[in-house]
Amino acid sequence: MSNQPILFKNARLIDPASDREERGGVLVRDGVIQAVGPQVSEAADAQVIDCAGQVLAPGLIDMRAFIGEPGGPYRETLKSAGEAAAAGGVTTVVSMPDTNPVLDDPAVIDFIVRRARDTSIVNICPAAALTKGLEGQEMAEIGRLKEAGAIAFTDGARSVTNAQVMRRALTYARDFDALIVHHVEDPDLVGQGVMNEGEFASRLGLPGIPREAETVMLERDVRLVRLTGGRYHAAMISCADSAEIVRAAKGKGLPVTCGVSINHLALNENDIGDYRTFMKLSPPLRHEDDRQAMIEALADGTIDVIVSDHNPQDVETKRLPFAEAADGAVGLETLLSAALRLVHEGRISLPRLLRALSRRPAEILGLPGGRLSVGAPADLIVFDPDAPYVLDKRHLRSLSKNSPFDEARLEGQVSTTMVAGRVVFRRDTM
């Protein structure tokens, strides 16, 4: 960390924690925000960054990213994931435990913490496995894993189908004030399905996945939360009925939160088009009615956070017939640009969007970020919300290029990213 203070001036300041929006500057010293607001003046010893009227906001916090290290560095490493995140304005990434070996041992969690600290330019916080080997049978040692640095507990892309195991996990996690993050998709109801069940799947001749694969699991989990009192976060919901379940749970005061992937806010099943495997996701892209319901649930606060669901896959696993291709899409670098579509369409305000991308994840995870106030960590981004560009996957920093937004017209680019008071990314055009 440089000891020289940095002054951001001439910025459009947006604080999603207080909904404050004003013109002004931010002075950063020793890794934290020392002053913020219209009255901030230049310090004699400060390096000055002129934001030229662009938005300055807290860095994004992504609660769901799959990283190939350890075990699959050809897909993504902690270093490459960090570079992609910084270019997209993500200053904190929660990595999933679906690695080889699985993150179900305190020594492996410790390895990830140290390795990320040494190689990544952004914060990477590991989520530990909820069950040993992600097998859904034997609960992992939540207390020891949390002590080693695990920020949450999840079986990543897998669901815990055994209700008794989930009940015990919620009960045990409650005693440690640990957060359980669950992928809500019943594998038996998914069966051989590869896309959303409905007319479009029939026309493509592909087996469908019913919405009930999600809602049945989510409904069960909410009942178990009511039984145990454990803190629970549905990793991603994708359909209108799921939003109603979460809305009802919150209405009863249960400790339930949820996320949605940027893909399910920006795309629908029709984007699969001519069997485009970059659109093969879990849960699958849904009907346009469900996409609209996700946007409305985000706007009214039912959905708490937006995640990238960053899941890099190499050519060998994607260049296959649709039914055989792997699930997943990269998303760290395009998370903000794709989300800004909602702002440009007038569906949500920019402060509300930034709250779902920074402040709410910080609150749910117990992190100090996501706010633009004195004493907050200097994890900051500067971006032009109107800067147009066409995404070329060849320019992505991720090692894998399976972006569903390849060749898409997007608006909004990050020009500067700061982590802990250090500038880790600057776009050449600024």
Side-chain angles (χ1 to χ4, degrees), residues 31 33 57-60 91-92 123 369-371 376-381 418-421:
I33 296 174
L60 312 186
T91 53
T92 297
N123 307 305
R371 56 196 173 95
D379 294 349
L380 305 169
I381 56 172
M418 169 178 277
V419 175

Side-chain angles (χ1 to χ4, degrees), residues 49-340:
I49 297 177
D50 189 339
C51 298
Q54 294 187 14
V55 173
L56 192 157
L60 312 186
I61 299 173
D62 184 9
M63 287 184 64
R64 187 174 175 87
F66 296 85
I67 300 175
E69 189 176 2
Y74 57 92
R75 292 172 52 210
E76 197 79 285
T77 64
L78 295 165
K79 181 177 184 297
S80 65
E83 290 169 352
V90 179
T91 53
T92 297
V93 177
V94 177
S95 66
M96 293 294 101
D98 314 43
T99 53
N100 185 17
V102 170
L103 305 187
D104 62 359
D105 185 283
V108 186
I109 292 291
D110 183 64
F111 166 78
I112 293 295
V113 171
R114 292 172 183 270
R115 180 76 173 163
R117 184 186 58 201
D118 294 342
T119 65
S120 175
I121 56 176
V122 306
N123 307 305
I124 294 183
C125 305
L130 181 59
T131 65
K132 292 184 178 179
L134 307 177
E135 296 295 333
Q137 297 299 317
E138 187 178 355
M139 199 170 57
E141 297 179 86
I142 291 176
R144 291 184 61 211
L145 289 164
K146 186 176 182 183
E147 190 176 336
I151 197 168
F153 297 85
T154 176
D155 274 0
R158 299 190 189 184
S159 301
V160 177
T161 57
N162 187 315
Q164 185 66 288
V165 172
M166 181 56 90
R167 176 185 179 177
R168 287 173 180 160
L170 282 164
T171 303
Y172 198 63
R174 182 196 59 203
D175 295 339
F176 289 96
D177 191 30
L179 175 70
I180 287 184
V181 181
H182 197 214
H183 180 68
V184 283
E185 194 169 43
D186 187 309
D188 293 320
L189 282 172
V190 170
Q192 300 301 312
V194 295
M195 67 171 291
N196 186 47
E197 186 174 272
E199 181 185 345
F200 192 55
S202 299
R203 277 196 277 152
L204 292 180
L206 294 171
I209 301 172
R211 295 170 180 78
E212 284 72 16
E214 179 173 300
T215 56
V216 166
M217 183 69 75
L218 182 61
E219 186 80 58
R220 181 208 70 174
D221 286 354
V222 168
R223 289 177 181 273
L224 291 176
V225 170
R226 188 172 61 185
L227 182 65
T228 62
R231 278 205 298 140
Y232 174 87
H233 179 81
M236 297 184 297
I237 64 171
S238 64
C239 59
D241 287 349
S242 291
E244 287 302 322
I245 293 170
V246 173
R247 195 172 284 125
K250 289 186 171 186
K252 295 173 183 173
L254 297 177
V256 171
T257 55
C258 75
V260 63
S261 90
I262 184 57
N263 302 316
H264 292 89
L265 289 172
L267 306 167
N268 65 33
E269 60 181 351
N270 295 321
D271 289 296
I272 291 172
D274 191 17
Y275 304 96
R276 297 181 64 194
T277 58
F278 283 7
M279 304 289 178
K280 188 164 185 278
L281 308 171
S282 174
L285 293 174
R286 300 292 187 186
H287 190 276
E288 175 63 11
D289 291 346
D290 287 311
R291 188 182 79 88
Q292 292 297 326
M294 293 299 94
I295 296 172
E296 291 169 9
L298 177 69
D300 71 19
T302 299
I303 292 177
D304 299 89
V305 303
I306 305 171
V307 298
S308 73
D309 193 29
H310 181 76
N311 193 348
Q313 300 289 347
D314 63 12
V315 174
E316 301 301 321
T317 57
K318 277 295 188 183
R319 191 174 293 169
L320 294 168
F322 192 89
E324 300 171 23
D327 294 328
V330 294
L332 279 170
E333 206 164 335
T334 52
L335 174 60
L336 179 61
S337 298
L340 283 168

